[in-house]
């Protein structure tokens, strides 16, 4: 199922909307079974269910508090084979696909915004609605080519506030390859700027990698540069999982990865900007 480009195509079965919920009996349900071989032996991934070295504790902070197996959605059920069940229902795929963790895979999404400004520095207004235009830092994902928020997985034991800053630095500032002087300066500015953020969303993400037994959840924060003189003045540079980065105008016509458009529009509502 992995092709030459290292992308994965899994053909899912047809799943009627009224059969998504686990509460609805569906005896004919025969999902595709798929757990990527790429996950085997990876330090960031769980072993397989049934592996004698794997004794996960579901719905709690596992491994001495380092691995968060708690879902923001609800307490999830566990199947007869000890695999956790997606709290949003059936997906057509059994296994964990390409996700590292069984159960919730926790991510964090930094939504960095500023006002779109004209050359004279005045804020650009959308004429039909008379509303100011907001921009956010978007990245183009290396895996799918889709534009997205520069988010990423919360590492074991990592605080979400650290993930938000680290992922922004890696994907939108190329921190992993920046020269030490530039990096020091960028880290100083971003660390201070990321002190003031607002939680926008916490919960399930409709991510294409979700399966019946592994799914993405995120905490999204907005960090707003009101004057445009902080991040607005910095050089964005794509890195790590990102192959491009830019300021993107917020509007209803955005096409973004997973449920990222919904997250960005929540920020637009908060700032009463055009969308
Ligand atoms: C999305 O996957 C989350 O919203 C987050 O942006 C992202 C994390 O996965 P990677 O970017 O690390 O692949 O569902
Ligand atoms: Mg990343
Ligand atoms: Mg990422």
């Amino acid at each position: 199922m992995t092709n030459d480009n290292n992308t994965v195509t899994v053909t899912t079965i047809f799943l009627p909307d009224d059969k998504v919920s686990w509460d609805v009996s569906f005896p004919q349900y025969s999902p595709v079974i798929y757990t990527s071989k790429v996950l085997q032996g990876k330090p960031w991934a769980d072993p397989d269910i049934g592996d004698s070295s794997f004794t996960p504790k579901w719905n709690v902070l596992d491994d001495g508090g380092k691995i968060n197996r708690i879902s923001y959605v609800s307490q999830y059920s566990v199947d007869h084979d000890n695999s956790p069940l997606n709290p949003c229902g059936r997906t057509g795929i059994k296994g964990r696909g390409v996700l590292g963790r069984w159960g919730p895979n926790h991510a964090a999404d930094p939504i960095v915004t500023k006002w779109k400004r004209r050359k004279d520095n005045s804020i650009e207004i959308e004429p039909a609605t008379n509303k100011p235009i907001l921009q956010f830092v978007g990245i183009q994902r290396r895996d799918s080519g889709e534009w997205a928020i520069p988010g990423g997985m919360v590492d074991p034991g990592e605080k979400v506030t650290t993930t938000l800053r680290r992922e922004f630095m890696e994907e939108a500032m190329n921190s992993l390859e920046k020269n030490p002087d530039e990096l020091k300066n960028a880290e100083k500015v971003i660390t201070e700027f990321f002190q003031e953020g607002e939680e926008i969303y916490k919960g399930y993400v409709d991510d294409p990698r979700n399966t019946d037994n592994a799914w993405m959840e995120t905490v999204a924060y907005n960090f707003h540069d009101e004057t445009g003189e902080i991040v607005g003045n910095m050089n964005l540079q794509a890195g790590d999982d990102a192959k491009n980065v830019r300021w993107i105008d917020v509007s209803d016509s955005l096409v973004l990865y997973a449920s990222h458009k919904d997250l960005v529009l929540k920020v637009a509502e908060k700032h009463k900007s055009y969308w």
Side-chain angles (χ1 to χ4, degrees), residues 150-153 166-167 170-171 239-242:
M153 306 292 185
R166 178 180 56 71
E167 287 290 337
E170 288 174 3
E171 298 189 10
D240 200 34
D241 310 336

Side-chain angles (χ1 to χ4, degrees), residues 137-140 142 147 150 165-183 186 190 231-247:
V137 175
I139 56 99
Q140 189 178 22
R142 222 177 258 288
W147 285 85
R165 193 179 61 232
R166 178 180 56 71
E167 287 290 337
F168 187 80
M169 286 299 297
E170 288 174 3
E171 298 189 10
M173 292 276 163
N174 196 17
S175 62
L176 300 176
E177 290 175 20
K178 243 187 178 33
N179 79 53
D181 284 346
E182 261 188 286
L183 179 62
I190 294 298
V231 189
N233 274 343
M234 294 177 88
N235 274 336
L236 301 177
Q237 194 185 356
D240 200 34
D241 310 336
K243 61 175 179 181
N244 266 306
V245 61
R246 63 183 173 93
W247 288 99

Side-chain angles (χ1 to χ4, degrees), residues 29-43:
Y29 183 53
S30 62
V32 174
I33 297 171
Y34 178 55
T35 295
S36 171
K37 293 214 170 18
V38 170
L39 302 172
Q40 278 174 12
K42 290 287 185 314

Side-chain angles (χ1 to χ4, degrees), residues 106-124:
H106 287 285
D109 282 296
I111 307 171
V112 171
T113 53
K114 70 174 178 70
W115 297 113
K116 186 175 190 181
R117 288 175 190 267
R118 302 190 190 91
K119 284 219 166 65
D120 66 3
N121 207 34
S122 60
I123 294 174
E124 194 165 321

Side-chain angles (χ1 to χ4, degrees), residues 140-209:
Q140 189 178 22
R141 293 179 64 93
R142 222 177 258 288
D143 55 1
S144 67
E146 289 161 282
W147 285 85
I149 301 164
M153 306 292 185
V154 180
D155 286 342
E158 189 176 48
K159 279 189 186 155
V160 167
T161 48
T162 305
T163 314
L164 288 162
R165 193 179 61 232
R166 178 180 56 71
E167 287 290 337
F168 187 80
M169 286 299 297
E170 288 174 3
E171 298 189 10
M173 292 276 163
N174 196 17
S175 62
L176 300 176
E177 290 175 20
K178 243 187 178 33
N179 79 53
D181 284 346
E182 261 188 286
L183 179 62
K184 214 171 146 196
N185 184 45
E187 248 164 9
K188 189 168 172 269
V189 176
I190 294 298
T191 302
E192 202 180 315
F193 177 65
F194 270 45
Q195 297 293 320
E196 297 278 318
E198 194 180 321
E199 187 181 299
I200 291 296
Y201 177 78
K202 196 187 244 187
Y204 192 84
V205 189
D206 202 3
D207 191 285
R209 295 168 290 191

